[in-house]
Amino acid sequence: MSEPVAEAASANVERHAAALCLPPDVCQLLVHTLPRAASRDAALQCIDRVRRQMLGDGLLTVNVDASPTDARDGDTIELQRVWTSDAAAYPVGGRKRKTLTPWTRQLLRDAQVFVGEGDAVLREVFDDHALIASLGLRAIVNVPLLDAQGRCAATFNLLGVRPTWQPQELALVRLLALLATPWVLNAG
């Protein structure tokens, strides 16, 4: 086998090794149960069930941009939690006022996924890092949920007990966030 062909074959094997494969029962949840959910809460419970099955222990929250419409491009952003997998630690209705930081610019203004891995990054980025650590959480993926104009209208926030994420785990988180988007943005 020639060297370029061998490299291409090796890259193909690596790509498939990190491919996202969903078990049939997970596919059943996503293609049968999720579209029939009666509410945002039921849909997000279904998505969280998949998250738990595929990624294990952690925390899932969903926040919406609760900033006044005329202040959406300002220097502060107000987020309100509309769903949580741990109401004791992170209750629904909780609000956070965020100033412009590299994290808020990346996630909330530029609508780019944020991946934070390890305790040091969590301490640097999040005011509630002590609570996060007390729950045994060590890594986060924040996925922007985009409105029809491509702006971040909400965030899908997954924290895990692992210190780092694998590529297929990140792909799954992004897929789950995409599936959550209509349930979050159209819930009224």
Side-chain angles (χ1 to χ4, degrees), residues 66-84:
S67 304
T69 305
D70 61 344
R72 293 256 161 114
D73 291 323
D75 289 343
T76 60
I77 300 145
E78 189 163 342
L79 299 173
Q80 181 172 359
R81 193 172 309 106
V82 296
W83 198 87
T84 182

Side-chain angles (χ1 to χ4, degrees), residues 10 22 27 31 57 81 88 105 128 134 145 149 153 155 167 174:
S10 176
L22 301 176
C27 291
V31 301
D57 291 337
R81 193 172 309 106
R105 282 185 187 91
D128 56 345
S134 76
L145 304 184
Q149 291 74 42
T155 62
R174 293 178 78 150

Side-chain angles (χ1 to χ4, degrees), residues 17-53:
L20 177 61
C21 289
L22 301 176
D25 59 326
V26 168
C27 291
Q28 178 71 10
L29 279 170
L30 295 177
V31 301
H32 181 74
T33 306
L34 182 59
R36 290 167 178 77
S39 66
R40 172 175 58 197
D41 187 58
L44 291 173
Q45 285 178 9
C46 179
I47 289 168
D48 190 51
R49 190 167 151 201
V50 170
R51 187 268 311 169
R52 288 174 191 267
Q53 183 174 337

Side-chain angles (χ1 to χ4, degrees), residues 51-52 55-60 85-86 137 158-161:
R51 187 268 311 169
R52 288 174 191 267
L55 299 172
D57 291 337
L59 170 70
L60 174 62
S85 64
D86 185 347
L137 305 170
L158 179 62
L159 292 100
V161 296

Side-chain angles (χ1 to χ4, degrees), residues 8 11 94 114 127 140 145 150 163 165 178:
F114 174 82
D127 297 335
I140 189 166
L145 304 184
W165 299 102
L178 178 66

